[in-house]
Amino acid sequence: METECPECAGTVSIAAPEKGEIVECPECGVELEVVSVSPPALALAPEEEEDWGE
Amino acid sequence: MTPDDGAAVDLLAGMLRTPSLCGAEDAVATLLVESMTELGFDAGRDGAGNVVATLHPTQRSDATGEVVILGHMDTVPGAIEVELYDGALYGRGAVDAKGPLATAIVAAARAAPRLRRTVTVIGAVQEEGPSVGARSLLQRPAPEYLVIAEPSGWDAVVLGYKGSMRFRVEVAVAGGHSAGPLPSAPEVAVTFWNELVAWCTRRVPGAERKGGFYELTPSLLAMNSTHDGMEDVASLQVGLRLPPGLEPDALQPEIEALLPDGAFSFSPGEPAVRSDRRNPLVASFLRSIRLEDANPRFKLKTGTSDMNVVGPVWNCPMVAYGPGDSSLDHTPEEHIEVDDYLRGIRVLTRVLEEL
């Protein structure tokens, strides 16, 4: 699968994509989530929030 | 037997009605062994008192290794009347962590006809204390995937917990008149505390820019002083929340050096644990949460859980997952929204079917 990074518009190639998979854009380094395989689509991966519970 | 939504609520309500203070989990353990056996688990108790319940794969698959879901049966003190009110189930442990444990039980039972791997659900003892149950599990082989059953919120997964350590320090000085030039023991203790706070900031430079998960955070838990006319004695109890990369044992001499005349006693600590998010376990949770029409979230916890105990040893793909608002942990208003509980069950059921 080859598609565009939503952050920098660079090209991201993924050999065997799976929905939900987290990948890194080779051009800008941002982490991306595969939100669709057909048609291919990437979104910025969820950010990490802090929570004080235990 | 496949539990429907009503049976899921009944299971959790039964668990909440059965008190299980840390170290006194026998009654709820008996309930869980009976309930899980009825649901088709191979269930029993291990030598530490943990409930260990297994479902075997029913689908032909080349998948190897097991999925372990590790929750805990014990709660903190403070009885809360168990009642269903305005769509929420109230009771001690509803969030921390009988709700997430019941979620795991029901989800595994629902996924049973489609399992590709062995799934083992464990209700550990004494997580709210010295983690006796989790420590006893370290002799087990590492699972393929680990889910800690703790509240993340039904639409979020927890990727890590800070570490922790505690110590007590006592300082004694010869008694003297308060108008004299020498500092009193309480003044020495307060000076130490201020130096400790400054050391925490120095020890992890730049942490404040990365957020609280990456900071070394001190808490003054208790202080006391006595004076018998001959000697001034002051003591402090201190907790430290540790970011990734700091080992409790390695920090001890640095802390002792801040007060060379102090008498220190350290309790066993746990390092922070931080899992990778690029693995099939995380991907499966993200897919499953999105199927509930939600945007999944990642969380890093500034508290601790049994992930701190087993995570560094098993070193497998791991997350913590469970419905519930963890800001209600240990509070008199502890409750779980029933809709959130049922969504959490659906999310985890699909994950277990996929793995």
Side-chain angles (χ1 to χ4, degrees), chain A residues 19 31 33 48 50 54, chain B residues 213 274 277 287 329:
Chain A
K19 210 169 165 185
E31 286 198 312
E33 179 187 344
E48 292 172 353
E50 283 184 1
E54 56 189 310
Chain B
F213 186 76
R274 169 75 165 85
R277 58 186 200 170
R287 279 194 298 273
D329 290 5

Side-chain angles (χ1 to χ4, degrees), chain A residues 17-25 29-37 43-54, chain B residues 96 150 159 161 210-214 241 274 277-278 282-283 286-287 290 296-304 326-327 329:
Chain A
E18 281 199 40
K19 210 169 165 185
E21 183 180 355
I22 303 287
V23 298
E24 186 179 293
C25 172
V30 74
E31 286 198 312
L32 303 163
E33 179 187 344
V34 178
V35 291
S36 172
V37 175
L44 291 176
E47 292 192 3
E48 292 172 353
E49 308 167 8
E50 283 184 1
D51 190 354
W52 53 265
E54 56 189 310
Chain B
D96 185 14
E150 288 276 8
L159 297 173
Y161 290 85
K210 296 166 73 177
F213 186 76
Y214 298 95
R241 297 289 181 177
R274 169 75 165 85
R277 58 186 200 170
R278 293 191 208 177
V282 171
L286 297 187
R287 279 194 298 273
R290 286 195 187 281
R297 299 177 293 148
F298 289 131
K299 287 185 176 179
L300 297 170
K301 294 269 193 175
T302 55
T304 54
S326 58
S327 70
D329 290 5

Side-chain angles (χ1 to χ4, degrees), chain B:
Chain B
M1 189 175 84
T2 302
D4 60 16
D5 287 352
V9 173
D10 288 345
L11 172 68
L12 177 54
M15 291 165 67
L16 298 178
R17 286 192 194 98
T18 310
S20 54
L21 293 178
C22 183
E25 297 94 346
D26 284 350
V28 81
T30 300
L31 172 71
L32 288 180
V33 169
E34 289 175 1
S35 301
M36 294 172 86
T37 300
E38 283 178 18
L39 290 170
F41 289 81
D42 178 9
R45 298 187 76 184
D46 67 12
N50 302 318
V51 168
V52 180
T54 299
L55 289 170
H56 296 288
T58 44
Q59 299 295 309
R60 280 176 167 261
S61 164
D62 55 3
T64 57
E66 69 176 333
V67 179
V68 167
I69 308 176
L70 173 58
H72 64 92
M73 299 185 289
D74 59 317
T75 71
V76 295
I80 299 171
E81 185 180 353
V82 179
E83 63 174 342
L84 193 56
Y85 177 75
D86 200 18
L89 188 55
Y90 285 72
R92 174 60 74 215
V95 177
D96 185 14
K98 290 178 175 176
L101 179 57
T103 298
I105 294 167
V106 176
R110 287 185 180 178
R114 289 169 294 281
L115 287 181
R116 300 169 65 241
R117 299 175 189 275
T118 297
V119 172
T120 300
V121 178
I122 301 175
V125 295
Q126 297 193 47
E127 190 271 352
E128 300 289 359
S131 288
V132 170
R135 288 181 208 286
S136 75
L137 299 171
L138 296 177
Q139 296 166 17
R140 289 172 63 94
E144 196 72 15
Y145 298 110
L146 170 66
V147 178
I148 300 290
E150 288 276 8
S152 57
W154 74 268
D155 59 346
V157 290
V158 173
L159 297 173
Y161 290 85
K162 287 182 86 167
S164 73
M165 63 186 293
R166 287 188 179 200
F167 66 87
R168 182 177 187 278
V169 59
E170 186 174 286
V171 61
V173 301
H177 197 287
S178 60
L182 296 177
S184 67
E187 287 169 340
V188 172
V190 168
T191 299
F192 163 74
W193 167 253
N194 289 334
E195 290 182 358
L196 180 76
V197 171
W199 170 80
C200 286
T201 303
R202 280 197 314 273
R203 189 61 179 74
V204 194
E208 68 280 2
R209 291 193 301 273
K210 296 166 73 177
F213 186 76
Y214 298 95
E215 292 177 344
L216 175 57
T217 315
S219 312
L220 184 53
L221 305 173
M223 58 192 304
N224 190 32
S225 63
T226 59
H227 178 70
D228 64 3
M230 301 298 287
E231 193 176 53
D232 260 354
V233 178
S235 64
L236 303 179
Q237 288 186 48
V238 177
L240 292 174
R241 297 289 181 177
L242 313 181
L246 294 186
E247 292 289 330
D249 291 350
L251 295 178
Q252 286 188 19
E254 296 181 47
I255 294 167
E256 288 172 326
L258 298 174
L259 186 57
D261 294 332
F264 286 84
S265 58
F266 289 86
S267 302
E270 303 293 347
V273 58
R274 169 75 165 85
S275 74
D276 186 15
R277 58 186 200 170
R278 293 191 208 177
N279 59 61
L281 179 64
V282 171
S284 185
F285 270 105
L286 297 187
R287 279 194 298 273
S288 189
I289 291 169
R290 286 195 187 281
L291 284 173
E292 295 289 322
D293 289 329
N295 288 319
R297 299 177 293 148
F298 289 131
K299 287 185 176 179
L300 297 170
K301 294 269 193 175
T302 55
T304 54
S305 78
D306 278 342
M307 187 191 280
N308 295 79
V309 177
V310 299
V313 177
W314 286 346
N315 198 25
C316 60
M318 70 190 83
V319 299
Y321 180 77
D325 176 356
S326 58
S327 70
L328 297 170
D329 290 5
H330 302 194
T331 70
E333 295 83 29
E334 187 169 2
H335 65 270
I336 189 166
E337 299 291 334
V338 172
D339 283 349
D340 290 356
Y341 172 52
L342 299 176
R343 283 192 193 100
I345 291 169
R346 292 198 296 269
V347 168
L348 186 56
T349 301
R350 288 190 290 265
V351 170
L352 295 175
E353 290 171 345
E354 283 189 356
L355 290 176

